[in-house]
Amino acid sequence: MRIISICLLLILPGSFCYGQKLNVTGEIRHIKCPDDKNGRIKLNIKGGKAPYQFNWSDGSQSDYIVNVGSGKYQCTISDANGSNVTKTFYIKKGQDVDVRYDISEKKSISFSVNDNNRYRIRYVADDGEFGVFSSSKSNNVKRKNYKVYVTNKQGCVKVFDILNSTDR
């Protein structure tokens, strides 16, 4: 069924229109990595009467917000008829890369990562040596400091230091 807008022209300047109810939906781009600020919400407006005004909880005043972090965002949309709709949207936080490691007395290190599917463990040692640690078995290590980079399947990177790896 199609709704037809009916407008009454008043003797005074302007008009008052009855028509489709103001309907707002949102397209959300969630965050892949926990500390990213690349979330986005784009509003889709149907009904009501243009022009529309937008008032976001972060102070923005357009039909979209970009480069925002995870969290709750609210927008009040007003149309030319004076109708208001307030919508709440949530941008989800990406999964953190949770890494655990264990250094044995036998000069080996093993890793445990919360993302068991795909991840890569790279390192750079304080003497300039670099390479890849195995995620499925123990790795022989020398007495030095390592900066370790663990990347998960979303491309999120966790960086941490292992200091004097065999000095235990």
Side-chain angles (χ1 to χ4, degrees):
M1 182 164 99
R2 195 166 186 216
I3 297 176
I4 300 173
S5 294
I6 300 171
C7 293
L8 301 173
L9 294 176
L10 303 175
I11 296 174
L12 300 172
S15 64
F16 190 78
C17 295
Y18 296 93
Q20 287 185 319
K21 181 180 168 185
L22 182 59
N23 185 18
V24 180
T25 59
E27 296 173 32
I28 300 172
R29 181 175 67 198
H30 296 287
I31 307 236
K32 289 183 182 179
C33 303
D35 297 327
D36 284 353
K37 300 253 187 273
N38 60 358
R40 181 186 83 182
I41 302 171
K42 168 77 171 99
L43 298 180
N44 298 309
I45 312 295
K46 292 187 179 176
K49 182 179 179 191
Y52 306 105
Q53 293 182 345
F54 307 93
N55 187 17
W56 286 91
S57 53
D58 72 346
S60 299
Q61 295 186 334
S62 67
D63 62 342
Y64 62 92
I65 55 175
V66 295
N67 299 326
V68 293
S70 63
K72 175 180 172 181
Y73 295 88
Q74 210 167 34
C75 186
T76 300
I77 302 94
S78 305
D79 73 359
N81 289 332
S83 296
N84 294 310
V85 173
T86 299
K87 291 288 187 172
T88 301
F89 303 94
Y90 295 90
I91 295 181
K92 295 177 185 175
K93 177 178 166 180
Q95 182 181 2
D96 198 3
V97 179
D98 183 24
V99 182
R100 290 179 173 77
Y101 64 91
D102 183 49
I103 301 173
S104 75
E105 291 180 20
K106 297 179 181 177
K107 298 181 184 179
S108 69
I109 185 169
S110 57
F111 294 89
S112 171
V113 182
N114 66 336
D115 184 353
N116 292 326
N117 295 320
R118 288 180 257 157
Y119 57 92
R120 183 176 178 172
I121 305 171
R122 297 174 292 125
Y123 69 87
V124 177
D126 57 0
D127 64 359
E129 176 190 359
F130 62 92
V132 177
F133 281 135
S134 171
S135 58
S136 61
K137 62 180 182 173
S138 293
N139 300 272
N140 290 328
V141 290
K142 297 175 183 163
R143 185 181 176 126
K144 54 177 100 174
N145 299 326
Y146 293 94
K147 184 165 284 295
V148 179
Y149 303 83
V150 180
T151 307
N152 71 5
K153 65 184 174 186
Q154 288 86 16
C156 304
V157 179
K158 176 84 167 205
V159 180
F160 60 96
D161 294 312
I162 299 175
L163 304 176
N164 287 320
S165 59
T166 58
D167 190 20
R168 293 181 77 176

